[in-house]
Amino acid sequence: MAPWSGLWGGKLAAGGGGGGGGGDHYRGTPVVVKMENPNWSISEISSPDDDDDEEFLVGGRRKGGRGKNAKQITWVLLLKAHRAAGCLASLASTAVALGAAARRRVAAGRTDADASAAAAGESPVLRSRFYAFIRAFVVLSVLLLIVELGAYINGWDDLAASALALPVIGVESLYASWLRFRATYVAPFIQFLTDACVVLFLIQSADRLIQCLGCFYIHLKRIKPNPKSPALPDAEDPDAAYYPMVLVQIPMCNEKEVYQQSIAAVCNLDWPRSNFLVQVLDDSDDPTTQTLIREEVLKWQQNGARIVYRHRVLRDGYKAGNLKSAMSCSYVKDYEFVAIFDADFQPNPDFLKRTVPHFKDNDELGLVQARWSFVNKDENLLTRLQNINLCFHFEVEQQVNGIFLNFFGFNGTAGVWRIKALDDSGGWMERTTVEDMDIAVRAHLRGWKFIFLNDVECQCELPESYEAYRKQQHRWHSGPMQLFRLCLPDIIKCKIAFWKKANLIFLFFLLRKLILPFYSFTLFCIILPMTMFVPEAELPDWVVCYIPALMSLLNILPSPKSFPFIIPYLLFENTMSVTKFNAMISGLFQLGSAYEWVVTKKSGRSSEGDLISLAPKELKHQKTESAPNLDAIAKEQSAPRKDVKKKHNRIYKKELALSLLLLTAAARSLLSKQGIHFYFLLFQGISFLLVGLDLIGEQIE
């Protein structure tokens, strides 16, 4: 029988079957323990006299197979201790770096209350009211923490049980009176709010779970929208297949970073050139940007592309006004479909071939929507967290609603509309900041159906700075509430099925656009800290930890590579609830910031290979003076820009105030020994602190 050799096993010389004579064997494995310091290493070999053979081997095996050399264990433990010390040093340096960044933020003094932020974002009146509301809670929580800390030090905790029955004299009487008042008047009110928010939380969680089950069913049954007509043949023979007239629109406004690749991508769509026209709808107010875009269009015109440049003198209505103006052109009547791409979107050449065929022999179909993919999803933590949200939105929400309801909110880009459906629904309207959702709801009320293609992707960018992301989310959550106010009478009066009306009112608007930001902010940012100071009102552990963890797990399933970020995702979503709640309130009550439109800042991220791949086939082998020089474009984008204005990270006062509130509540939870609540409040408070100091996303100096 061969001698046993394992992880910690001894090595025997050949022929030494059980431990008999011969000095050419030794017991113990030679181990070389290398420390992090590369200048030295230690080799330890066990001595043949360490143990007797009878104790060491039993039938050629170790006793239990678990014998270990004590010196080896010592060195392994030293190695692990050394690595742990290295990790601690790394964490310490990271903490020092974060502290230095925070100090620079505070020293710079640029907050979200600056005039530039007010002009581009929220109403100063609303912001001051909302901030005053949060600040009042912070002051109250600090005072209560001082009171509770004093009671804990003086041993007055026992009064909590007897305060309702026994009068106490002196300072203790004041504390006993507070306990009686808290239990009689404050706790029932907070418990009522808690129970109401928990009910809303459970309803929204059930909706999320049902959507995930629907997505699982779609994947299990391999349900997929298929065009009724066969696949299109090669575009060189347009008479042999279905190639309707398609109008392609690229609305843009001061998109200096991304206009080249978007125009190049659209001009290279694999479609008969005589059957599609590109409209570059430039709303830029910067003369330099206008000139650059106009010259780019001219280059593609000289190369044979059917492309026109349009610039409005009166820039009313933002994107909706831009699209409405373009649809008023006389030649639009010659086209049957319109494809829309925002300035940072780069469709694949086969985009029209994979979307337009769905319209053939399907006269009720009004919209075909493709999903988004992101060129910069791994750029920083902020883009990774956004990718989780949007992957769930497309993979679950849009796909499930498209398959089972034939309706979803149009994403504003990467979609193809039947022009007849747009006209029948009233065309583009400028009444909200979510013109895409507006036209989708009106088309749904007119009976048009939608298709979502989960396997057709269009590349675009994610906001890389928190300021840009915050402004985008404000518009995305304010607009639906504006639209809900405006279209509610039309939904009620419309002659569609009752279940469709119920879906629009209760699920599409109320549950997913109003209740979600409301309970996220109220439950986790206000009620949870209050229950720490009013322990008579209880918030169960499963509401604080288990259900949110399950929902976060469901959200992250469509992007499994993001699983390591599940905890930051949960904390960041609760942090963003402040911005979403603020936007929802401003849109619902038509406050000053409801109609603010801020174009999301792009960085223009495209590799040289992406740009070269967009070159026309004839340009890959020869270059003319009139052809777009894509090599120069790539070099220009990779080179540092000298004319970019200097920007700075900001300090966000509401997030900082809430971080103080949550950290104060975490300190209070220590006195009552509530473990899960303490850890949740602690990490959530740190998350608010990092966001409040703008330490997430792109770092701008």
Side-chain angles (χ1 to χ4, degrees):
M1 181 177 177
W4 177 85
S5 177
L7 181 62
W8 297 94
K11 182 178 179 181
L12 301 177
D24 294 334
H25 71 274
Y26 61 89
R27 291 186 293 271
T29 304
V31 173
V32 177
V33 181
K34 291 187 177 181
M35 312 300 285
E36 295 291 337
N37 188 341
N39 296 326
W40 60 284
S41 62
I42 296 176
S43 179
E44 173 67 25
I45 303 178
S46 61
S47 169
D49 299 328
D50 287 345
D51 299 299
D52 294 334
D53 289 343
E54 292 78 14
E55 295 177 358
F56 181 73
L57 291 174
V58 178
R61 299 176 62 89
R62 286 182 183 268
K63 290 183 179 180
R66 295 183 180 274
K68 298 181 180 179
N69 187 296
K71 293 184 179 180
Q72 292 173 341
I73 296 176
T74 301
W75 287 113
V76 170
L77 292 177
L78 287 174
L79 174 62
K80 292 185 179 295
H82 185 76
R83 289 178 176 173
C87 291
L88 291 176
S90 176
L91 291 175
S93 63
T94 302
V96 171
L98 289 177
R103 181 181 56 80
R104 290 195 300 270
R105 300 283 195 276
V106 175
R110 295 177 177 87
T111 69
D112 54 347
D114 290 346
S116 59
E122 302 162 294
S123 165
V125 176
L126 174 63
R127 180 169 52 251
S128 61
R129 289 177 180 175
F130 192 45
Y131 177 60
F133 171 77
I134 297 174
R135 189 170 53 188
F137 269 99
V138 172
V139 174
L140 180 62
S141 66
V142 172
L143 292 176
L144 290 176
L145 178 61
I146 294 173
V147 171
E148 296 295 334
L149 187 60
Y152 181 81
I153 294 174
N154 289 279
W156 296 346
D157 289 356
D158 296 337
L159 294 176
S162 60
L164 298 179
L166 300 177
V168 191
I169 60 174
V171 180
E172 298 180 9
S173 64
L174 296 177
Y175 184 68
S177 300
W178 157 244
L179 293 180
R180 286 194 293 267
F181 177 81
R182 187 178 73 184
T184 306
Y185 299 103
V186 180
F189 175 70
I190 296 179
Q191 189 66 57
F192 172 77
L193 292 179
T194 302
D195 295 341
C197 286
V198 169
V199 170
L200 296 178
F201 178 43
L202 292 177
I203 294 174
Q204 197 276 332
S205 300
D207 174 64
R208 184 65 54 93
L209 180 60
I210 292 172
Q211 285 184 320
C212 291
L213 292 176
C215 182
F216 176 75
Y217 179 81
I218 290 172
H219 284 279
L220 184 65
K221 296 294 185 179
R222 298 182 180 179
I223 301 175
K224 178 183 175 182
N226 293 311
K228 296 182 179 180
S229 61
L232 297 175
D234 189 74
E236 298 299 329
D237 187 12
D239 297 331
Y242 177 67
Y243 288 104
M245 300 293 286
V246 178
L247 182 67
V248 182
Q249 297 177 333
I250 313 177
M252 59 178 64
C253 180
N254 297 322
E255 309 280 4
K256 189 176 181 180
E257 298 81 9
V258 293
Y259 71 93
Q260 290 174 308
Q261 57 258 40
S262 61
I263 292 176
V266 168
C267 288
N268 280 281
L269 287 172
D270 188 8
W271 201 257
R273 289 204 170 188
S274 60
N275 287 31
F276 84 103
L277 172 70
V278 179
Q279 284 183 320
V280 178
L281 310 177
D282 183 25
D283 253 7
S284 303
D285 55 5
D286 176 27
T288 303
T289 304
Q290 294 177 26
T291 302
L292 291 173
I293 297 175
R294 188 183 289 108
E295 290 176 352
E296 186 71 14
V297 171
L298 180 61
K299 290 178 183 179
W300 284 98
Q301 286 177 343
Q302 294 172 348
N303 188 50
R306 297 187 69 236
I307 181 172
V308 296
Y309 174 87
R310 280 181 54 86
H311 181 268
R312 295 191 300 162
V313 178
L314 300 177
R315 300 170 57 251
D316 297 330
Y318 303 111
K319 181 180 175 181
N322 198 1
L323 294 172
K324 182 178 180 181
S325 173
M327 295 300 293
S328 64
C329 296
S330 59
Y331 54 79
V332 172
K333 66 179 183 297
D334 299 328
Y335 294 84
E336 188 175 356
F337 304 102
V338 56
I340 303 172
F341 301 99
D342 282 350
D344 60 316
F345 277 72
Q346 304 169 39
N348 293 323
D350 62 348
F351 182 87
L352 294 180
K353 281 189 171 183
R354 300 181 68 182
T355 54
V356 174
H358 289 271
F359 289 98
K360 187 178 182 182
D361 302 326
N362 194 354
D363 295 335
E364 295 181 342
L365 183 61
L367 167 68
V368 175
Q369 171 76 59
R371 72 173 295 165
W372 303 353
S373 60
F374 309 104
V375 296
N376 61 338
K377 63 182 179 180
D378 297 324
E379 184 64 25
N380 53 46
L381 178 60
L382 179 61
T383 58
R384 291 177 186 272
L385 300 180
Q386 292 179 68
N387 180 60
I388 295 173
N389 250 346
L390 290 171
C391 283
F392 181 86
H393 170 70
F394 288 109
E395 185 80 19
V396 179
E397 294 177 344
Q398 298 291 76
Q399 186 172 211
V400 169
N401 290 332
I403 292 294
F404 295 106
L405 302 177
N406 296 122
F407 166 73
F408 47 82
F410 175 45
N411 294 116
T413 177
V416 182
W417 276 94
R418 188 189 296 271
I419 295 180
K420 182 180 178 182
L422 291 177
D423 295 337
D424 183 55
S425 305
W428 299 104
M429 291 187 179
E430 308 160 14
R431 57 183 183 171
T432 72
T433 58
V434 284
E435 76 294 327
D436 44 9
M437 186 181 295
D438 187 3
I439 189 65
V441 170
R442 286 186 280 117
H444 180 58
L445 296 179
R446 298 289 297 177
W448 293 98
K449 296 182 179 180
F450 302 165
I451 285 180
F452 176 75
L453 301 179
N454 192 50
D455 57 343
V456 180
E457 297 184 356
C458 190
Q459 283 195 335
C460 63
E461 280 190 31
L462 291 167
E464 296 182 8
S465 68
Y466 178 69
E467 178 69 13
Y469 180 61
R470 180 171 171 265
K471 292 175 180 178
Q472 180 198 71
Q473 292 300 303
H474 186 276
R475 176 166 53 89
W476 285 6
H477 287 81
S478 174
M481 291 297 97
Q482 305 168 23
L483 182 60
F484 179 63
R485 286 172 55 100
L486 294 171
C487 70
L488 181 59
D490 296 333
I491 296 175
I492 296 174
K493 297 176 184 177
C494 184
K495 297 180 180 179
I496 60 175
F498 175 79
W499 68 270
K500 291 185 177 181
K501 293 184 181 182
N503 172 68
L504 272 176
I505 295 175
F506 296 107
L507 294 181
F508 186 76
F509 280 114
L510 290 181
L511 185 60
R512 297 166 189 166
K513 303 297 189 295
L514 187 148
I515 290 177
L516 178 58
F518 171 78
Y519 89 76
S520 296
F521 172 74
T522 307
L523 186 61
F524 295 109
C525 300
I526 300 297
I527 291 180
L528 177 57
M530 290 174 64
T531 57
M532 296 299 99
F533 298 102
V534 186
E536 293 84 0
E538 296 182 358
L539 191 60
D541 292 346
W542 56 268
V543 175
V544 177
C545 180
Y546 305 124
I547 299 297
L550 176 61
M551 292 299 104
S552 297
L553 181 62
L554 293 178
N555 274 30
I556 216 167
L557 286 179
S559 53
K561 292 183 179 180
S562 302
F563 185 79
F565 302 95
I566 184 171
I567 294 179
Y569 170 74
L570 172 61
L571 298 174
F572 183 69
E573 280 301 293
N574 290 335
T575 305
M576 282 303 300
S577 66
V578 182
T579 297
K580 296 176 182 179
F581 177 82
N582 191 15
M584 182 267 292
I585 293 297
S586 66
L588 186 63
F589 296 104
Q590 304 292 288
L591 301 177
S593 62
Y595 291 96
E596 293 290 346
W597 180 289
V598 180
V599 177
T600 304
K601 187 67 178 176
K602 285 90 173 179
S603 60
R605 294 193 180 275
S606 284
S607 65
E608 183 175 350
D610 294 333
L611 291 168
I612 298 301
S613 67
L614 296 176
K617 294 179 181 178
E618 61 271 16
L619 292 181
K620 295 179 181 178
H621 305 287
Q622 61 180 7
K623 296 181 181 179
T624 63
E625 294 182 359
S626 61
N629 190 342
L630 296 178
D631 292 325
I633 293 174
K635 292 179 181 179
E636 178 184 345
Q637 290 188 342
S638 60
R641 298 184 178 89
K642 298 181 180 180
D643 57 341
V644 177
K645 291 183 179 180
K646 192 174 182 180
K647 297 180 293 184
H648 304 269
N649 291 89
R650 298 187 182 276
I651 293 176
Y652 300 97
K653 297 193 296 184
K654 291 190 293 292
E655 284 78 1
L656 286 179
L658 281 169
S659 73
L660 180 58
L661 172 63
L662 292 168
L663 293 175
T664 304
R668 173 63 182 88
S669 68
L670 282 177
L671 303 181
S672 55
K673 300 179 181 179
Q674 300 190 50
I676 291 180
H677 296 71
F678 166 73
Y679 289 113
F680 181 87
L681 289 166
L682 176 64
F683 290 118
Q684 191 64 70
I686 294 174
S687 175
F688 268 101
L689 180 63
L690 295 177
V691 172
L693 293 173
D694 202 2
L695 295 174
I696 184 173
E698 181 186 13
Q699 295 301 296
I700 305 168
E701 190 61 39

